Amino acid sequence: MRTNLLKRLTAALAMGVFALGVGGGVAVAKTDLLVYTSIEADELAKFKNAFEKDYPDINIKWVRDSTGIMGAKLLAEKDNPRADIVWGMAATVLLQLIPYDYFQAYAPKGVEKLNPLYVDPKNNPPLWVGQRAYVAAVCYNTIEGKKNNLPIPKSWKDLTKPVYKGHVIMPNPGSSGTAYLDVSSWIQMWGEEDAFKFMDALHKNISRYTHSGSKPCKLAAAGEIPIGVSFAYRVVKSKAAGAPLVLITPEEGLGWEVEAMAIVRNTKNLAAARALADWTISRKSMELHAPGYAAVALPGIPNPVKDFPDVGGKMIKNDFAWAGANKARIVKKWTARYDAKSEPRKK
Amino acid sequence: MDEARAPYLKVENVTKKFGDFTAIKDICLEVFESEFVCFLGPSGCGKTTLLRAIAGLDIQTSGRIEQAGRDISNLPPTERDFGIVFQSYALFPNLTVFKNVAYGLENRKTSKADITARVNELLQLVGMPDQGPKYPAQLSGGEQQRVALARALATSPGLLLLDEPLSALDAKVRLRLRHEIKELQHKLGVTTIMVTHDQEEALTMADRIVVMNKGVIDQVGTPLEIYRRPASPFVADFIGAMNFLSAVAGGDGTVRIHGMELSAIEGADGLDEGAAVTLCLRPEDIVTRGVESGAPNAFEATVADLEFLGSFYRASLTAKGVENTRFQADFSVNLVRDLGIEAGKSLTVAFPADRIRVFAGT
Amino acid sequence: MTDGPQALVIEAPLVKPKVGREDWVMRAGLAVIGVYLLVAVVFPLYTILSKSFQDSRGLFVGLDNYAEYFATPALFYSINNSLTISVVSMVITVGLAFGYAYGLTRSCMPGKGVFKAIALIPILAPSLLPAISLRYLFGAQGMIKGLLMGETIYGPIGIVIGEVFWTFPHALLIIFTALSLSDARLYEAAEALGASKLRTFFTVTLPGAKYGLISACFVVFTLVITDFGVPKVIGGGYNVLAVDIYKQVVGQQNFQMGAVVGLVLLAPALLAFVADRMIQGKQVALLSARAVPYEPRPDRRFDLAMLAFCGTVAFIIIGILGVAQFAALVKFWPYNLSLALDSYQFDLMDGGSWGAFWNSLKLAAWTAVIGTAVIFTGAYLVEKSKGFERGRGLIQLMCMIPLAVPGIVLGLAYIFFFNAVGNPLGFIYHTLIILVLCTVTHFYTVSHLTAVTALKQMDAEFEAVSSSLKVPFYRTFIRVTVPVCMPAILDISIYLFVNAMTTVSAVIFLYSADTQLASVAVLNMDDAGDTAPAAAMGMMIVYTSATVRLLHFLLTRGIARRTQAWRKR
């Protein structure tokens, strides 16, 4: 390991500044499939390898960044889309792009076997097909929690108790889609007025709002804060890395988001894009989708992660259309209330 | 000057404007082959502008310039035929002396051997035969200017333009280089125009001097003409030392200074009696040895002050009985000793009529 | 002689200068640079800034977006915060940089070369590195969080520390140059007049460095107010304008509002810029040809004091980077502090791989090579060509714009312009070319100003001499101008290289599957929670840039020995 690293470093330095060569050419005429995605980066290789094993003549080329960056990039490219397929992208983002005639309808093989919640209800054949769902979750750092004598919260409402003052971090819905997921789920569960009353109370306990949706759990994992509001996959991953985290799924209900795919209207690699869509909802692929996620589109595939809570029953009835249509208004209201004077607060 | 000769360079009605500002106005000038002409004037008089127009570096707004019978009015510098030397030398600092001189030759179809021969010849000519491998920064200012000269001459241009070439040098080096440049110019016979604000430089080097002021030419002439017969008070003042005295025209070529009458003065003929005039006379033209009282234009004066200037004394004098008339006279060391001139002494001095210039107005 | 009332004023016919072959070459060159700047700067920026006058469907709505934006109370907090942060950072940075530069130029303390090298390190680091360091130092688990006395690092304190760290080298370079250009004779005169050290400082040193100080103030101010990297990662909920753009564009995909904030942000930056230009314009050459460079004399107490000051600053810089290196090696902060090299297995990490590192190297190298060539040639043509005043003025203005444009705005602008249907340059989209183009543009202004400064120091008559010798200007450009300006050219190339290695804000929208970048990978790895690999990759960037800098130093010295021999007397 060590010598390998040193070798690489020396090679890097030896090649030095002017390593201007173009990347090595590919011998066989494979189809390059340009896939825009926002799935967690550490999953990319897993999916690529598995897919290309089944389709050796297709070569997946990922363009991966956070949901916000990819959403902005997709929207900026709307007049001349570049991707062949958008895959593993928050359905909210896809819904936002549909009015621009961004996608073409396609019913992947086996779509009829999927949970109908995961398939575009408005179009047949569907414009988008969901792959899996991720849920909002709270992560709790046991070491820091104990240090501060914080009981493990069981519900969203628990988080508003004075004992948690300054010990909670959540993302800013103005910057993060995950945060909006939380906010919109609270509104859908309790109605707008009660939800904002809840947020007023929660705001008093919030140490600060982050720009990234995954950051709160990351900060909790690093002991920067005892409690972070984020999503479940992050918790699973950080725990695996050795973080003293507990995954909490508040009892009132959980907001959730579908990770979905849609074929871009002007793709030149339609066959390859369809192949990826078909493969994605195959059983084998769905099993790859499962770890750490609340549920996958194909029913009957368990989450292999040990101790992963059963969240199926807690997922709220999420109206994506409503959430999308009201996003601008709600974010503005939220910003005016909680972001306008986000002076740093002392502990 | 041989008037029958066709001029080598003809400048006709040249005007150059920078926006609203007119730098030179309606300039007409002729320069003859092998002539050394100086553009002389204070800074801002337009002399450099005229030089740059001739070079094509800043082409004139209107007017015509002809060189060797060819209309070059609108040609870019590359299509003209001149070599130029600047005050800053503008030597290429990263090239050796040899490469600097060879710079213009290398771009022509000249063989390497010929270039080497020519460069060595030029370095010999400017007195720097062994300095080829050095870089400009290793040379003194005077040496750098010699290299710049060699570089400008390398391509044997028909016209050599020198823009204040000596101004950046120390006084001693300047004196030496004056002679060297003049000698070189004489030897090569290259038509040369030099811009300078140093009248001494112009007087010693030029065949003819073009005195400029505020964008126009005040006078063109040989150094002697310019010095002896300045065409305007400006020229009179700018070149050499000069006494300016307010006077009144008396008719018949006489002028009066506060009642004292001076006669037989050139330039005073056409003036109406009673007109205000300025009388000009150089300090060294005032005589006292052997002047008897009652001689023409002689009068009594008192030495107010005596200043020793090395090779001569400059005396401040006041005419006796005439208020507010103070003028200066240069007396040789011998004269001061012989006549025992000192402050407070009275002398009989004369203004020689043929040396007095009179200009209308005060 | 025209006198008398009847004299007619006849306008002499104007001379129309003949356009020679060289003029055509020069004009063609200017045209190429002009078109380049239109394509790389003006057109793309127009595509995005025009959106501030449109609704989401692209219909013209006049100033509606501005009205809406200015009706939002959050805006005023952001403007206020932005100005506060910028001014505070400016004062601290310029103060520290002045003290540091003073020590380097006016004292006889030992190790000046090392101190100068250390001071320039922060430029080499992606802005995430100091952020990670600050978290490890001052965060909830921070090693020395007690120093903050209960204040949080996630807010204005963190932003200011991060910005000071990042802008310190910029300010130092400018002030160092200003202090180096001092005339020893002034000091001798002050001493002869019996002025005290303090009085000399206020009457000689400060006025001499005045323009450098002002310039440093404006540069730091502009850099801070347009930066979103530091406030985003360490600023917590403290809103500044640059982060507002991020929220509008990335958080809500509201390009119209993003464009509005972008234009609002342009205002203070442009104002600072114009003021700076005006003051610079008044500057006369401080150093006459006969000035004698100042040589400090040893003064034990003063030298020790300066050594202590510079040592402290250098220690802080090294310390911050040292913590980042520590972060790269620690297994799981703060619960497993054992060290390992796992973090360097980038291929197994999220968001980045060794491929991204190579791509960054390629991008940096191309940016340095092409950028330097374009920028220096462009500056030469603008500085040394004749006529065409208006066109040249416009080109000059276009060269200045990029400094005031935040990276996000530039990146999106490039998508809108280069990905537009029917753009013949569309083929460069998603390639390395667009990344190079964008990066060159992003860092155009400072490079351009460096080139112009170097060119202005050249004898103005070189072109006149060569045209009198009938040597075409381009030959003199190659044979004289370029060699003489080689130090500045190398400075520009290293500046571009280093910045291309660390830049994120613009290229994050433009990279593609084959052109992932290390600097983006650092951000993504950190986003994914892999702090250690993020720090590791960040430090790889630092080491690479430092290596290149070292090579640059050796190269400069080598070149100096051979081609700059003429500089020595």
Side-chain angles (χ1 to χ4, degrees), chain C residues 174-188:
Chain C
I174 298 170
I175 298 173
F176 179 81
T177 311
L179 283 175
S180 310
L181 294 175
S182 68
D183 193 341
R185 293 174 309 167
L186 291 175
Y187 286 88
E188 284 158 12

Side-chain angles (χ1 to χ4, degrees), chain B residues 154-287:
Chain B
T155 54
S156 308
L159 183 63
L160 178 63
L161 303 176
L162 309 171
D163 187 2
E164 304 253 9
L166 305 175
S167 304
L169 300 174
D170 294 336
K172 276 223 160 134
V173 182
R174 203 180 320 170
L175 284 183
R176 206 169 59 227
L177 220 57
R178 253 189 223 169
H179 294 290
E180 286 182 18
I181 291 177
K182 177 69 191 161
E183 217 168 279
L184 195 64
Q185 190 268 340
H186 196 71
K187 195 149 103 192
L188 300 175
V190 57
T191 312
T192 303
I193 297 177
M194 180 170 92
V195 161
T196 179
H197 62 268
D198 182 337
Q199 41 134 339
E200 211 177 287
E201 214 166 277
L203 291 171
T204 51
M205 296 174 80
D207 295 326
R208 279 197 303 154
I209 296 175
V210 176
V211 186
M212 295 183 66
N213 183 30
K214 292 181 181 160
V216 296
I217 294 178
D218 261 30
Q219 186 174 10
V220 181
T222 64
L224 206 61
E225 281 167 354
I226 301 270
Y227 192 81
R228 277 283 157 80
R229 302 167 62 80
S232 69
F234 170 78
V235 177
D237 189 26
F238 191 72
I239 292 169
M242 185 68 85
N243 289 305
F244 289 90
L245 297 164
S246 303
V248 176
D252 305 331
T254 63
V255 295
R256 278 197 310 276
I257 304 176
H258 299 283
M260 187 174 77
E261 191 167 286
L262 300 172
S263 63
I265 293 165
E266 191 185 344
D269 281 345
L271 295 168
D272 295 337
E273 193 170 340
V277 297
T278 301
L279 178 152
C280 299
L281 181 67
R282 298 209 179 272
E284 73 266 27
D285 287 336
I286 294 172
V287 288

Side-chain angles (χ1 to χ4, degrees), chain B residues 52 57 59-63 73-82 84 86 88 90-95 99 103-104 106-108 135 137-138 151 168, chain C residues 11-18 20 22-23 290 386 459 461-462 464-472 475-476 479-480 483-484 562-563 565-566 568-569:
Chain B
R52 292 181 73 89
L57 295 171
I59 289 179
Q60 69 277 16
T61 313
S62 63
S73 303
N74 67 345
L75 296 184
T78 38
E79 295 180 32
R80 303 190 183 200
D81 177 22
F82 70 95
I84 193 161
F86 291 100
S88 63
L91 291 180
F92 303 130
N94 60 320
L95 303 182
K99 291 263 179 198
Y103 199 75
E106 285 173 352
N107 203 39
R108 296 161 189 226
Y135 284 100
Q138 295 165 312
R151 183 179 61 182
Chain C
E11 282 289 321
L14 299 185
V15 175
K16 199 166 172 271
K18 181 186 163 194
E22 276 198 51
D23 294 301
R290 286 166 197 277
K386 292 202 168 145
D459 195 308
E461 309 295 3
F462 283 165
V465 166
S466 64
S467 65
S468 82
L469 295 171
K470 300 189 170 38
V471 177
R475 203 177 137 87
T476 303
R479 275 201 65 190
V480 179
V484 170
R562 269 178 290 121
T563 72
W566 49 271
K568 298 222 175 67
R569 293 245 166 205

Side-chain angles (χ1 to χ4, degrees), chain C residues 180-219:
Chain C
S180 310
L181 294 175
S182 68
D183 193 341
R185 293 174 309 167
L186 291 175
Y187 286 88
E188 284 158 12
E191 202 174 331
L193 292 169
S196 69
K197 254 199 147 153
L198 198 67
R199 199 168 137 74
T200 310
F201 177 80
F202 281 107
T203 52
V204 178
T205 308
L206 268 189
K210 186 171 66 183
Y211 291 108
L213 280 173
I214 293 171
S215 199
C217 283
F218 285 132
V219 166

Side-chain angles (χ1 to χ4, degrees), chain C residues 250-299:
Chain C
V250 176
Q252 299 158 42
Q253 277 99 53
N254 188 339
F255 298 145
Q256 296 74 37
M257 279 300 165
V260 170
V261 190
L263 269 170
V264 170
L265 191 52
L266 274 182
L270 274 181
L271 215 65
F273 172 73
V274 169
D276 181 42
R277 286 291 93 192
M278 276 166 59
I279 291 165
Q280 294 292 320
K282 284 189 191 155
Q283 178 160 27
V284 280
L286 280 170
L287 203 63
S288 66
R290 286 166 197 277
V292 184
Y294 180 82
E295 290 283 347
R297 275 168 303 185
D299 174 340

Side-chain angles (χ1 to χ4, degrees), chain C residues 10 25 46 51 55 65 110 112 116 138 195 224 261 275 322 373 396 401 462 474 523 555 567:
Chain C
I10 298 169
V25 175
Y46 174 77
K51 289 197 187 299
D55 66 8
N65 291 326
K112 285 189 197 174
K116 196 173 170 208
F138 300 107
V224 173
V261 190
Q396 207 121 31
I401 295 174
F462 283 165
Y474 40 85
L523 209 66
L555 193 69
R567 282 191 194 275

